[in-house]
Amino acid sequence: YQPQINLISGQVVGVEALLRWRQEDGNFVPPDRFIPLAEASGMIVSLGDWVLRVSCLELVRLQALGLPELRMSVNVSQIQFRQPDYLTKLMAALKDTGINPKCLELEITESVAMEDPDFMLETLHKVRALGISIAIDDFGTGYSSLSHLRQLPIDRLKIDRAFVTELGQDVSGGHIASMVIELGQNLKLTVIAEGVEEEFQAQTLMRLGCHEAQGYLYAKPLTSEQLTEWLEKRGAL
Ligand code: C2E
Ligand code: MG
Ligand code: MG
C-alpha cells in the first residue's frame, strides 16, 4: 500500500494497493512482468478479485485505526473490467467487507478508458452508481479523445510518473504535468501526481494547482504492518 497525500494540508487521504509476488527464495517478481502474464492466462480475474477483497479489508482495518475518511485505490485490468459479472463481483465485495463504497476508488489506465467508448461509458456509470469513484491512471501517456474524456463519469486524473520526472527539465512546449492539471481543473476533476520523489517536484505541482501526490518522497509501497508504523510515525493515527 502506497500513501497518497493532500499537497496543501499534508494529510494522508488514501492509499493505493500495489500487488506483490514474493517467491520462495524471498525475491520479488515485478508486477510489470506478472500482471501481463496473469492477463494472458486469464488468472487476473481471480487475482484481481482477491486484490479487491484484501484491499477492502485493509481499508476497514485502517479506518478503524482512526482514519474514517481514508480512500483505497485499486488497480483494475481491462480484462477484469470486461467480465460480464464484474459488477456483480464488485457489489459482492462491498457487501461482504462492509466498506463504504465512497472510500473505494478504481484505477483504470488512460488507454483502457479510451477504448470502446460506449462500453466504457455504460460500465463507468454503473460503477459510479454504486458510489465508487474512478481515477484515470498513467494519464498523459495515452491518446485521449478530449470529447470522450469530458463525457466519462470520472473523479480523478493521475499524472503519469514520466511527467513528474520531467518537471526539473526545461522542455520545449511546456510541461505536460501543467497541462494535465489545467485540464483537470477545467473538467472539475481532482488531479493526483504519481512518482513524486523530490520536494521541489511536490512544491512545483502544488504551485501548479495539483491537489494530491504519491511517491517515494512520502513512502514506498508498504506492507500492512509497515503502513501502520508509517502512519503512527507521521502522527496520522
Ligand atoms: P501503477 O498503478 O501506475 O503504479 C505506480 C507504480 O509506480 C508502482 O509500481 C509504484 O511502486 C511505482 N512508484 C510509486 N512511487 C514511485 C516513485 O516515487 N518513484 C518510482 N520510481 N516509482 C514509484 P509497481 O508497484 O511496480 O506496479 C507497476 C504496475 O503494475 C502498476 O502501475 C499497475 O499498472 C500494475 N499493478 C500493480 N498492482 C496491480 C493490481 O493489483 N492489479 C492490476 N491490474 N495491476 C496492478
Ligand atoms: Mg495505479
Ligand atoms: Mg500509474
Side-chain angles (χ1 to χ4, degrees):
Y1 304 96
Q2 188 178 37
Q4 301 178 330
I5 312 291
N6 178 308
L7 277 168
I8 296 184
S9 69
Q11 271 180 335
V12 184
V13 287
V15 294
E16 178 181 8
L18 291 161
L19 191 54
R20 293 292 177 264
W21 177 4
R22 188 171 47 222
Q23 292 173 298
E24 277 174 30
D25 59 11
N27 289 326
F28 285 90
V29 183
D32 294 342
R33 267 183 57 206
F34 72 76
I35 298 281
L37 290 174
E39 286 178 336
S41 66
M43 271 180 75
I44 193 71
V45 175
S46 46
L47 199 56
D49 197 41
W50 177 81
V51 169
L52 175 66
R53 281 166 178 272
V54 172
S55 305
C56 288
L57 291 174
E58 177 66 12
L59 180 66
V60 170
R61 189 187 76 86
L62 291 165
Q63 290 188 334
L65 282 179
L67 293 166
E69 307 276 307
L70 195 77
R71 183 175 76 217
M72 176 63 72
S73 297
V74 178
N75 292 286
V76 182
S77 136
Q78 135 124 305
I79 301 193
Q80 251 181 297
F81 217 63
R82 289 187 172 275
Q83 297 294 306
D85 62 350
Y86 181 67
L87 283 155
T88 315
K89 280 185 175 164
L90 198 54
M91 285 189 274
L94 293 178
K95 187 165 165 278
D96 295 347
T97 59
I99 67 153
N100 177 356
K102 293 209 159 41
C103 298
L104 179 64
E105 180 160 275
L106 301 181
E107 291 193 4
I108 54 169
T109 61
E110 184 187 6
S111 44
V112 171
M114 290 303 137
E115 241 173 59
D116 199 346
D118 293 339
F119 168 84
M120 230 37 220
L121 202 60
E122 194 190 323
T123 313
L124 291 183
H125 271 295
K126 287 180 181 161
V127 171
R128 264 294 215 62
L130 297 174
I132 298 169
S133 56
I134 317 261
I136 306 294
D137 205 353
D138 305 337
F139 194 80
T141 58
Y143 301 91
S144 269
S145 145
L146 294 181
S147 58
H148 178 45
L149 184 73
R150 190 177 56 185
Q151 272 190 301
L152 287 179
I154 54 175
D155 301 274
R156 214 177 312 279
L157 295 179
K158 205 164 181 187
I159 306 175
D160 192 74
R161 191 172 78 214
F163 307 122
V164 173
T165 310
E166 180 189 86
L167 281 175
Q169 300 149 16
D170 182 25
V171 285
S172 68
H175 288 125
I176 306 273
S178 147
M179 299 178 207
V180 173
I181 293 164
E182 205 169 322
L183 180 66
Q185 282 167 346
N186 280 319
L187 295 175
K188 309 239 176 333
L189 302 171
T190 314
V191 180
I192 179 165
E194 67 176 17
V196 176
E197 295 184 356
E198 314 278 350
E199 184 57 42
F200 89 86
Q201 293 171 334
Q203 292 300 328
T204 309
L205 287 160
M206 188 164 68
R207 192 166 38 76
L208 292 170
C210 183
H211 308 96
E212 297 171 351
Q214 173 183 350
Y216 295 171
L217 173 64
Y218 311 100
K220 292 200 165 177
L222 306 166
T223 64
S224 176
E225 297 77 43
Q226 291 169 332
L227 177 61
T228 314
E229 242 172 75
W230 182 87
L231 288 166
E232 273 168 359
K233 258 198 209 134
R234 205 182 157 89
L237 292 183

